[in-house]
Amino acid sequence: MSAEPILDISGLTTVFRIGDREIAAVRDLSLSVATGETVALVGESGSGKSVTSLSIMGLLPRGIGRIAAGTLRLRRKSGETVELQNIGGEALRRVRGNDIGMVFQEPLTSLNPVYTIGEQIAEPIRIHLGKSHREALSDAIERLEDVGIPDPSRRAGQYPHELSGGMRQRATIAMALACNPTLLIADEPTTALDVTIQAQILDLLGRLQKERGMGMLFVTHNLGVVAEIADRVVVMYAGSVVEIGSVARVFSRPRHPYTQGLMRSVPRLGTATLLKEAGTPLPTIAGSVPSLMNLPQGCPFAPRCPHRLEACEQAYPPLADAGEDQFSRCIRWQEI
Amino acid sequence: MSHKFFLEVSELGKDFAPVAFGRGPVVRAVQNVSFNIRRGEVVGLVGESGSGKTTIGRMVAQLIEPTSGSIRFDGVETTSLTRRELRRMHARVQYIFQDPFASLSPRMTIGEILVEGLDIQRIGSKSERVAKAAQALASVDLPPDAISRYPHEFSGGQRQRIGIARALTLAPELIVADEPVSALDVSIQAQIVNLLRDLQMRLGLTMLFIAHDLAVVEYVADTVIVLYLGRIMEMAPSRELYASPQHPYTRALLSAVPSPDPSRHTARQILKGDIPSPANPPSGCVFRTRCPVAIEACAGAVPALREGAKGHFKACIRDDLD
């Protein structure tokens, strides 16, 4: 792992209160994001990928979700390090939108319908950087230009409903970058977009990340998007990290049966015709994702795993070092 | 005279009236769309938002009426049916919806959901209806005890199986599957695609499979139609379309799909600009505003859908591209 990380999460466990029980939505997660690095957090529904990003941003639903254990260290623009799990209120607000930029899935819900695009981008600039209204607005127009919005000064005066889906997502990216954050958290930023627009936004995020040398944590369910944008990947399943490593290594030589199954079940252009003509079904992972309320003892993937042993059902496997910065939470990683 | 095609769609069009008290432009959702489906064939309809794929599916299933054009189902013109004839037609054409959470009533048991169509169509006795429901449930690999349970007790993938079982109880001849796997997780998607393909082959179903995901369509469809802003851009046998796409839009669409194979990373072609609004589509070729190879003539007239190689149609005037 390179240099000093911007974000360093160690042993994060986030729990949700359901009735009189507390359910772990994220279990003992450790990851780091370095300057200029893009780390993808990938998983299916209920894997805990979004809960992880909400934990970092301090946006867990109050009274329901809480960080039960772990440390989340963030290096701020000033060089000072804060532990996000310990701060709240005003201190957290000074970090969020300033040191951490955030982009979400649905641009229409992250933009306020009654303010112009320009005002919304200018707001964090005024608050965090202390600029005047006029200066902030001209900065906002510059940011709109950075994200490839044509005719930015006119667009700055428009309301969210006047923009297309792709333009709105560009505007939320401009807002996230308003204060030159060191870390950008993008939670499924292209999931609601059409594929030709997704290609534009991925290209834009990749370019901005390089130009600004930001760290980026990219949350997605799409393995194709991971291969497109990320340097390293963290694969999650039912609240646990099951595999972690460089995208090149994990995707070409996955060391966890879940990653292997996932890679095989992604429909690939060109190969489906061959399978169809051979009369072969598409590869799948049997069964479905277990409920967090009712996780199996031992390895959470064991009930669906083709390589399951008795030992898998008895103890929760540790994250094993598979060499070259690749780790797998599987006791059989060497054989599979 | 016997008819060659099971479903014949010709010059189909659908306009939607403006929403705000009759002000604003008419939305031209579908314009001049023609295609045929043979009995037992699966046709994939692919396109992005605003392409008109769902509108076409709904017209084919007679859930909405076309503004113009004709849909002949097994030789019968369906655009001028009486209510009674329409109800009978609904038993022969069934619809599978995208969202397995919104398309099943939370207050009905799975059994009630499955026999509802049979009740409406007055098919069989009560016990026969229940037997048909149980049979449909078995064909989608759900346990028999599911019949007395409620939708909330099932996962997304299981609910989609229930939606498929509901479509099967009436023994339909044509199924319109509207994005049946897009709301599902990757590992579940493949299970449902396999199930649909398996049922289609076993029961000899004719299917219109609507999706935005080109890779999902490839496995299921025999023929693929690529739509953009309410018009057909390209139509070809599936193998042909993926191996040698002819229309610049199809090429861009295929190139935009991110691949999980790190080795397969070639320079992607990224289309500029946004999809125009169907309320105000460009003149001439609707794709020309984003087309990397558009020329002046593209703005002049709507390009005809012409046949190049056998069965391979494209609506593009540029024949000089490789």
Side-chain angles (χ1 to χ4, degrees):
Chain A
M1 269 165 243
S2 57
E4 196 190 332
I6 290 174
L7 177 70
D8 191 8
I9 304 177
S10 158
L12 172 69
T13 296
T14 301
V15 296
F16 279 74
R17 174 169 293 286
I18 294 174
D20 51 5
R21 286 175 68 188
E22 278 199 322
I23 309 293
V26 174
R27 181 172 177 183
D28 192 23
L29 172 139
S30 299
L31 67 84
S32 66
V33 182
T35 306
E37 183 188 42
T38 298
V39 176
L41 207 51
V42 69
E44 300 182 282
S45 350
S47 63
K49 57 188 191 302
S50 282
V51 173
T52 302
S53 79
L54 294 176
S55 303
I56 300 166
M57 299 182 286
L59 292 175
L60 292 168
R62 193 177 295 191
I64 300 169
R66 66 180 182 92
I67 295 173
T71 54
L72 299 97
R73 269 189 213 92
L74 176 82
R75 189 153 44 86
R76 299 192 60 188
K77 284 187 281 191
S78 58
E80 160 206 16
T81 300
V82 285
E83 296 211 344
L84 295 169
Q85 81 280 7
N86 289 335
I87 61 171
E90 196 45 47
L92 185 59
R93 268 194 290 278
R94 273 199 296 272
V95 169
R96 217 163 35 196
N98 185 14
D99 301 289
I100 306 179
M102 300 168 284
V103 181
F104 298 96
Q105 174 171 341
E106 188 46 73
L108 255 194
T109 51
S110 34
L111 291 168
N112 189 328
V114 300
Y115 290 98
T116 64
I117 298 293
E119 282 164 0
Q120 295 187 57
I121 300 169
E123 188 185 4
I125 301 176
R126 279 191 288 118
I127 294 171
H128 294 300
L129 308 183
K131 296 203 178 178
S132 72
H133 197 274
R134 181 190 295 248
E135 279 174 319
L137 209 56
S138 94
D139 279 11
I141 292 167
E142 227 170 88
R143 293 290 175 276
L144 285 173
E145 196 165 9
D146 293 344
V147 297
I149 291 188
D151 199 359
S153 41
R154 186 174 65 88
R155 291 294 188 180
Q158 289 186 317
Y159 291 89
H161 76 269
E162 299 178 82
L163 273 61
S164 69
M167 283 298 157
R168 278 184 212 130
Q169 197 60 301
R170 284 176 194 268
T172 64
I173 293 169
M175 192 158 58
L177 299 180
C179 300
N180 299 312
T182 45
L183 176 69
L184 183 68
I185 298 181
D187 194 343
E188 301 266 14
T190 60
T191 306
L193 305 175
D194 278 314
V195 63
T196 58
I197 308 298
Q198 166 171 284
Q200 295 173 353
I201 299 294
L202 288 178
D203 189 54
L204 173 70
L205 284 170
R207 180 172 63 77
L208 291 169
Q209 188 263 352
K210 265 192 203 77
E211 280 171 11
R212 293 161 168 257
M214 293 180 296
M216 177 152 73
L217 186 66
F218 196 103
V219 180
T220 181
H221 69 282
N222 186 325
L223 295 173
V225 168
V226 173
E228 204 71 55
I229 197 144
D231 304 305
R232 284 197 303 131
V233 59
V234 179
V235 184
M236 294 189 75
Y237 183 79
S240 294
V241 171
V242 293
E243 185 157 8
I244 186 164
S246 77
V247 173
R249 283 191 76 80
V250 171
F251 280 22
S252 61
R253 216 189 52 175
R255 288 299 201 182
H256 193 282
Y258 175 64
T259 319
Q260 292 178 343
L262 212 51
M263 287 296 290
R264 274 195 296 263
S265 13
V266 180
R268 283 179 175 72
L269 286 174
T271 54
T273 303
L274 303 175
L275 289 173
K276 180 170 66 180
E277 285 170 4
T280 317
L282 293 176
T284 62
I285 302 177
S288 52
V289 181
S291 156
L292 292 175
M293 309 268 296
N294 206 359
L295 275 184
Q297 242 195 344
C299 172
F301 187 61
R304 302 176 75 187
C305 184
H307 307 288
R308 171 185 63 236
L309 298 176
E310 222 170 277
C312 301
E313 284 157 2
Q314 275 149 19
Y316 183 67
L319 208 51
D321 188 342
E324 310 222 14
D325 275 332
Q326 187 177 4
F327 296 83
S328 163
R329 197 179 292 283
C330 176
I331 55 173
R332 303 188 69 186
W333 68 266
Q334 275 167 307
E335 315 159 44
I336 57 173
Chain B
M1 208 180 97
S2 81
H3 37 87
K4 190 173 160 204
F5 294 105
F6 187 58
L7 184 81
E8 293 169 82
V9 173
S10 46
E11 292 170 29
L12 194 64
K14 179 71 187 176
D15 296 343
F16 287 106
V19 247
F21 305 104
R23 285 182 298 138
V26 167
V27 173
R28 304 207 178 282
V30 174
Q31 292 190 75
N32 197 21
V33 163
S34 304
F35 63 93
N36 299 317
I37 308 184
R38 289 191 175 78
R39 202 179 265 278
E41 187 186 20
V42 181
V43 169
L45 272 186
V46 180
E48 299 181 281
S49 325
S51 65
K53 53 190 191 299
T54 291
T55 305
I56 294 172
R58 294 193 170 203
M59 288 191 281
V60 166
Q62 284 114 47
L63 298 177
I64 55 172
E65 277 179 30
T67 308
S68 57
S70 111
I71 300 172
R72 292 176 75 83
F73 180 86
D74 202 8
V76 179
E77 177 57 55
T78 63
T79 48
S80 53
L81 293 178
T82 63
R83 272 182 105 134
R84 212 176 161 164
E85 289 168 325
L86 194 61
R87 196 172 64 204
R88 237 176 283 141
M89 189 60 84
H90 280 154
R92 304 176 69 189
V93 186
Q94 283 289 300
Y95 206 88
I96 297 171
F97 296 90
Q98 170 173 356
D99 187 343
F101 292 86
S103 57
L104 303 175
S105 167
R107 293 164 180 273
M108 290 165 81
T109 64
I110 306 310
E112 286 164 351
I113 289 170
L114 294 179
V115 298
E116 194 184 21
L118 296 166
D119 286 344
I120 292 169
Q121 299 287 343
R122 302 201 186 96
I123 296 171
S125 66
K126 189 150 195 282
S127 62
E128 280 167 348
R129 288 174 196 169
V130 173
K132 277 194 184 194
Q135 202 188 339
L137 213 49
S139 68
V140 297
D141 305 323
L142 283 175
D145 68 342
I147 212 151
S148 53
R149 288 154 71 190
Y150 286 89
H152 76 264
E153 300 175 56
F154 296 91
S155 69
Q158 289 171 323
R159 284 184 208 208
Q160 200 54 299
R161 287 174 192 270
I162 295 164
I164 294 168
R166 171 173 62 186
L168 292 176
T169 52
L170 287 161
E173 293 159 83
L174 174 69
I175 285 192
V176 178
D178 190 355
E179 301 263 17
V181 300
S182 16
L184 305 175
D185 278 319
V186 183
S187 73
I188 308 300
Q189 267 191 8
Q191 292 177 6
I192 299 295
V193 170
N194 284 337
L195 174 69
L196 282 170
R197 174 83 188 158
D198 186 47
L199 289 168
Q200 185 269 327
M201 300 218 287
R202 230 173 47 214
L203 306 174
L205 293 170
T206 310
M207 201 184 310
L208 187 62
F209 190 99
I210 301 169
H212 68 279
D213 186 335
L214 283 155
V216 166
V217 175
E218 185 181 356
Y219 187 69
V220 182
D222 304 306
T223 301
V224 176
I225 297 174
V226 179
L227 295 161
Y228 185 80
L229 273 185
R231 290 185 184 272
I232 295 181
M233 298 289 110
E234 186 163 0
M235 174 162 71
S238 169
R239 177 181 246 284
E240 284 280 306
L241 188 105
Y242 290 92
S244 66
Q246 296 297 311
H247 196 284
Y249 177 60
T250 313
R251 289 181 183 178
L253 205 54
L254 286 167
S255 154
V257 179
S259 160
D261 302 320
S263 56
R264 228 204 96 209
H265 269 204
T266 45
R268 282 188 308 135
Q269 179 198 354
I270 298 178
L271 287 180
K272 287 196 288 272
D274 279 317
I275 304 169
S277 159
N280 188 19
S283 67
C285 172
V286 285
F287 181 57
R288 72 178 164 81
T289 54
R290 299 175 77 201
C291 183
V293 294
I295 51 177
E296 222 171 277
C298 297
V302 176
L305 193 63
R306 296 171 300 137
E307 189 167 7
K310 190 166 167 17
H312 197 147
F313 295 83
K314 69 162 178 179
C316 177
I317 57 169
R318 295 288 306 260
D319 289 330
D320 51 334
L321 308 168
D322 64 281

